[in-house]
């Protein structure tokens, strides 16, 4: 929930615009909570990765086989943590930046549209990260299906062309 700061109406290049009378509401209700969330979220993902990596190194002492990273869990955890952090940053960093330079971005329509599009998409981005493996497998299955259909279609076209050539030769022989 965004609580708008108190505004003082003024004119900028002939347009009536709202200017903040004080920065304290913006700092306390927007910049500070979002800044804390960004730092805590990124820090937590780094800590999760380091904890998994430390556990993995401890467990490697007790493994019978020394084949290195064959059962490594730290790489998938790093990838998943990075993707969750990237989805969070994709959705909220633009809004965080807009708090500081909204005067310069006032006429940049594309920037404001991107903020309006990306802010509510955090749940969707997290869903994509969560179901990433299923999505990759489904895309691979679709690609395989399409490629087999295309190859079968090419073979069918070759058969049709061959049969057309045979019938044309038969027609020529009958004349």
């Amino acid at each position: 929930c965004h609580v708008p700061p108190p505004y003082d109406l003024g004119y900028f290049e002939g347009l009536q615009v709202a200017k903040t009378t004080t920065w304290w509401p913006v700092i306390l209700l927007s910049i500070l909570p979002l800044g804390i969330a960004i730092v805590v979220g990124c820090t937590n993902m780094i800590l999760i990765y380091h904890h998994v990596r430390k556990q993995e190194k401890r467990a490697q002492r007790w493994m019978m086989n020394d084949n290195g990273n064959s059962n490594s869990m730290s790489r998938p955890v790093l990838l998943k943590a990075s993707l969750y952090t990237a989805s969070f940053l994709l959705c909220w960093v633009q809004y965080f930046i807009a708090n500081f330079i909204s005067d310069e971005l006032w006429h940049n329509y594309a920037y404001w549209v991107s903020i309006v599009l990306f802010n509510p998409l955090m749940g969707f981005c997290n869903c994509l990260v969560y179901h990433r493996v299923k999505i990759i497998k489904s895309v691979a299955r679709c690609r395989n299906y399409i490629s087999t259909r295309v190859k079968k279609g090419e073979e069918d076209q070759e058969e049709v062309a061959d049969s057309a050539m045979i019938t044309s030769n038969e027609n020529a022989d009958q004349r």
Side-chain angles (χ1 to χ4, degrees), residues 42 53 82 99 103 122 135 140 155 169 175:
C42 293
R53 183 70 181 140
S82 299
N99 283 313
D103 288 339
M122 187 169 167
I135 292 170
E155 290 171 2
N169 288 340
R175 291 185 199 162

Side-chain angles (χ1 to χ4, degrees), residues 65 89 117 143 146 150 158:
N65 54 355
L89 294 175
L117 288 176
R143 232 184 235 169
I146 291 170
V150 167
E158 289 174 6

Side-chain angles (χ1 to χ4, degrees), residues 75-123:
R75 285 188 187 265
V77 168
L78 176 64
L79 179 63
K80 197 168 239 185
S82 299
L83 289 173
Y84 276 120
T85 304
S87 72
F88 176 73
L89 294 175
L90 172 75
C91 295
W92 286 103
V93 166
Q94 288 181 330
Y95 180 76
F96 189 70
I97 292 169
N99 283 313
F100 296 106
I101 57 172
S102 61
D103 288 339
E104 290 86 19
L105 295 172
W106 185 257
H107 293 293
N108 192 344
Y109 182 74
Y111 188 81
W112 295 107
V113 168
S114 68
I115 286 177
V116 169
L117 288 176
F118 284 125
N119 275 0
L121 287 180
M122 187 169 167

Side-chain angles (χ1 to χ4, degrees), residues 52-70:
V52 169
R53 183 70 181 140
K54 188 168 63 171
Q55 280 293 110
E56 189 176 64
K57 285 190 181 242
R58 267 194 242 151
Q60 282 179 352
R61 288 189 306 185
W62 303 103
M63 288 184 178
M64 293 294 198
N65 54 355
D66 267 345
N67 55 355
N69 291 334
S70 64

Side-chain angles (χ1 to χ4, degrees), residues 131-149:
H131 294 293
R132 176 180 54 87
V133 175
K134 290 179 186 176
I135 292 170
I136 290 170
K137 286 180 182 178
S138 296
V139 167
R141 255 187 277 128
C142 288
R143 232 184 235 169
N144 188 20
Y145 176 76
I146 291 170
S147 66
T148 56
R149 295 295 287 179

Side-chain angles (χ1 to χ4, degrees), residues 13-26:
E13 296 180 7
L15 297 171
Q16 186 178 14
V17 295
K19 296 282 186 179
T20 58
T21 56
T22 178
W23 271 92
W24 286 110
V26 175

